[in-house]
Structures are given as C-alpha cells and as structure tokens.
Amino acid sequence: MRLERNSPQSASLPDFRRTRRLRGSAAVRGLVRETTIGPDDFIQPLFITHGTGIRREIGSMPGQFQLSVDVLPRELAELAEAGIKAVFLFGIPEEKDRFASGAFDADGVVQRAMRTAKRELPEMLVIGDVCACEYTDHGHCGILNGCEVDNDRTVELLVRIALSQAEAGADVVAPSDMMDGRVVAIRAALDAAGYVNLPIMSYAVKYASAFYGPFREAAASMPAFGDRRSHQMDPANAREALTEIAIDLDEGADIVIVKPAMAYLDVIRMARDAFDAPIVAYNVSGEYAMIKAAAQLGWIDERRVALETLTSIKRAGAGRIITYHAKDAAGWLQDGEYAARRAVDVLSEWEA
Ligand code: PBG
C-alpha cells in the first residue's frame, strides 16, 4: 500500500502522514465513521413468567426482569418508544417436567405472551426461542436417554414447540438447542402446517459457554447434572462454526445466530465473510452482567463500554444484535453526544 505523504508544518520535521486530521472534531469523526449503531440493530430478550403483576428483577442481570404476561404490553410500549423493533421471548413455566410439556402448551407462558404481543403491538417483531431447557425438570435441552440428550426424540419435541409458537403468532422461530437435523424437521413441519413464510433464525453457532451463567438464573434452566458439551460447540473451534452454518442454511435456516458475541468476534467475522445470509450475534447474559457489575463498582463507564461493545460486534460483521442492553442503548443513542453523531451520520448518508 502506498502511503500519501502530507507536508509537515514544521521545517524541522520529516515528511509524515497526519491521520489526526480526521479525528479533530465530533463532526469530522462522524463523517468518516465506518460503523454506526442504532435502535434498529438491537433485539431485546424478555423473560416471561407465570402469575400476574410480576416484574421481578433478575439478581445477576440488574435492569432485566421476569415479566408476567399482563405487564408485557407496558414493557413493549416502552421498548417501542425507545425505537426497539424486535423482542426475543423466553418462558419460565409454572411447572417443569421430563417432557418439557410447558414448552408446547397452547396456553403456555410464551404462547400467551405471543398472542398478547401481536394483539397489543402488532408491529413489534416477536421471535420465539425454541428450546426445552427452561421447561424440563432436569434443566437439559431435550428428552434424556439415561444421562444423554436423545437427539432424534428431542427434534420431535422441538418441532412441537416451533409449531405451537407459530400458532401463537410468532413472527420468527429460533431453535437454540444445537440438536442435529432440527432445522430441516422444523421447516418441513411449518410448511406442512401452512407456515411456509415463517422464517427460521437458527442458533447455528452456539458455544458451550460459561457466559450463559446469569441466563440460567434468569430462566431457572441450570442443568441438574452434567453440562451441554455434547451438543454445544467447543470454544476452541472456529472452522467448525462454518460447517454448522453451512448445514443449517442447507436445511433451510433463513437467518443464523452466532453466540456468545464478545469472545467470538473472529467467528462472526469469518461467518460474515463466508456466507451471504443475515447474521445475528447474541450478546449474552454473562457479557451483560460483567459490564453491569464493573459499572456498579465504579470501575468502568457502563454507557461507553456497552456502546463500544455493541459497535465492535457490528464491526465484526453482525447485522443485528440480541442484547440485554437494547432498551438502554437505544435510549442513550437518542440523546446527547450520540444523537449529534447520528445526525452527522444521517447527513453524510444523505449527501452520498
Ligand atoms: C437455551 C438458551 C440459553 C441461552 C439462550 N437460549 C441457555 C443455554 O444454552 O444454557 C443463553 C442466553 C444468555 O446467556 O443470555 N434455551
């Protein structure tokens, strides 16, 4: 690469390039910014619980709540007000059993939440997490055969969950279990039931990560024994992620998720370079909790660290980000310095 030289201001200095020229003011920085983030980029996860009038803060995820269905419309209205266009629903059922019956119950917490959401705020996109771990009494992601999750019987269960969510009005279904063959099975079942236009957002790349810790408190889905390493990916592998994505796209996935995000930015970038499909990154519970905890101790600036993190995930190649910061970040981006930067971005887009 040939570097253009700029004439130095001082005769005593040699020739050098002044890159600081493009950093001198917020306006100039805005003009040359390569990556921008805004409320449209964020998908807010919500935990739906049984009961009424419940808005219970999750200990390890300050600012995140378990919500009962009756308080959901208010939450959705606040999210819409902040500019958020999509939510991702998880359920905490009243009762758990071996078969995850609550997950495909037409009257289950998530199904009721979906019907309520589509009735009260039809323009909000509702994505359903399709998994069994919040609904099984043993906390595993499917039907057990001894101590192992039985792949094929679990796929049958996932199909039932996806269909029940489709019937409840989900706009997108998102299988998060990492069983083999679930995307093709869900696609076939949705098509047969007439849901040919319902997209599948598959967690194609989901690592066996310690960053899910706080989620398991939030959703009460900690496995009673063992772990998820027989189905979730080994954090040491990146090429394998491309195989997983290729398989899921081949099976009919419309959108793919890479999860977690912060420790896997290289995987997001590899996926972005290798495939044309939409890629969503999941900025998971542990990533959120770390920022919250350090900010509460006064060790970091929550707002700046969160926005820097979200920017880095988008810069790595994610089209959209599932993040617990969604509502706050959308709000921050609407005021102050950030709003000024956005204005410059909008103007430079308009001028282009
Ligand atoms: C499975 C599921 C999990 C998360 C999303 N979907 C938990 C797991 O695999 O143990 C984790 C999300 C997070 O940590 O924010 N239903």
Side-chain angles (χ1 to χ4, degrees):
M1 185 172 66
R2 203 183 71 87
L3 290 178
E4 273 174 55
R5 300 270 169 197
N6 303 298
S7 45
Q9 278 162 3
S10 159
S12 62
L13 291 174
D15 214 14
F16 59 85
R17 170 101 180 252
R18 290 188 186 274
T19 51
R20 291 182 61 186
R21 199 174 279 146
L22 297 180
R23 294 176 202 140
S25 69
V28 169
R29 289 192 295 274
L31 187 70
V32 298
R33 182 162 299 123
E34 298 173 30
T35 308
T36 58
I37 51 170
D40 286 358
D41 293 322
F42 311 139
I43 300 167
Q44 173 76 50
L46 295 175
F47 298 97
I48 311 298
T49 191
H50 51 92
T52 54
I54 293 169
R55 192 164 193 274
R56 188 185 301 127
E57 191 162 26
I58 298 157
S60 53
M61 300 174 73
Q64 304 300 309
F65 299 83
Q66 294 179 341
L67 307 166
S68 53
V69 175
D70 58 317
V71 304
L72 179 62
R74 193 176 142 207
E75 183 67 26
L76 294 176
E78 284 177 22
L79 287 165
E81 174 76 22
I84 300 297
K85 310 242 172 4
V87 292
F88 208 108
L89 300 188
F90 295 96
I92 304 134
E94 188 158 13
E95 281 176 38
K96 306 189 183 217
D97 60 28
R98 262 189 313 151
F99 307 108
S101 313
F104 53 85
D105 182 353
D107 219 21
V109 276
V110 159
Q111 288 78 1
R112 283 195 287 122
M114 284 172 173
R115 269 186 242 110
T116 302
K118 295 319 295 181
R119 186 180 63 234
E120 300 293 326
L121 223 100
E123 62 276 21
M124 181 68 79
L125 186 94
V126 176
I127 306 167
D129 183 78
V130 175
C131 192
C133 68
E134 299 113 66
Y135 304 89
T136 51
D137 50 13
H138 45 64
H140 281 288
C141 299
I143 305 295
L144 293 182
N145 182 3
C147 286
E148 273 286 299
V149 181
D150 184 322
N151 191 86
D152 300 10
R153 284 175 70 201
T154 299
V155 169
E156 287 170 22
L157 168 64
L158 296 166
V159 165
R160 294 182 73 172
I161 302 173
L163 277 175
S164 77
Q165 293 186 357
E167 280 156 20
D171 294 304
V172 177
V173 290
S176 68
D177 49 279
M178 291 296 277
M179 294 300 117
D180 293 324
R182 92 278 210 211
V183 174
V184 69
I186 291 172
R187 185 71 271 158
L190 289 175
D191 291 352
Y195 298 105
V196 288
N197 285 321
L198 187 71
I200 297 176
M201 182 193 285
S202 115
Y203 287 73
V205 180
K206 182 174 180 181
Y207 286 93
S209 171
F211 285 97
Y212 308 150
F215 174 94
R216 293 181 187 168
E217 180 198 328
S221 64
M222 188 63 87
F225 57 87
D227 54 43
R228 308 210 202 289
R229 277 183 280 191
S230 80
H231 42 105
Q232 298 181 349
M233 280 182 57
D234 182 339
N237 295 353
R239 288 194 304 272
E240 188 185 338
L242 301 184
T243 305
E244 288 286 356
I245 294 175
I247 292 171
D248 280 15
L249 291 175
D250 192 46
E251 288 190 17
D254 303 284
I255 303 168
V256 292
I257 297 177
V258 175
K259 173 187 176 188
M262 280 170 74
Y264 299 88
L265 295 177
D266 57 329
V267 178
I268 296 172
R269 168 49 53 195
M270 283 170 72
R272 179 66 292 151
D273 290 344
F275 298 97
D276 291 331
I279 294 173
V280 172
Y282 198 141
N283 176 219
V284 303
S285 58
E287 305 175 53
Y288 174 82
M290 289 195 302
I291 292 178
K292 280 286 181 183
Q296 280 182 356
L297 287 166
W299 292 349
I300 59 170
D301 177 334
E302 177 187 357
R303 175 168 159 156
R304 291 189 55 205
V305 172
L307 292 176
E308 184 175 332
T309 301
L310 294 166
T311 301
S312 74
I313 296 168
K314 186 132 183 245
R315 191 195 63 227
R320 298 287 183 273
I321 306 166
I322 304 165
T323 176
Y324 303 95
H325 297 290
K327 192 194 208 174
D328 286 343
W332 296 330
L333 290 164
Q334 280 176 7
D335 58 51
E337 195 196 345
Y338 297 105
R341 286 193 198 170
R342 291 289 298 164
V344 172
D345 296 337
V346 169
L347 195 62
S348 55
E349 269 167 34
W350 178 76
E351 283 170 353

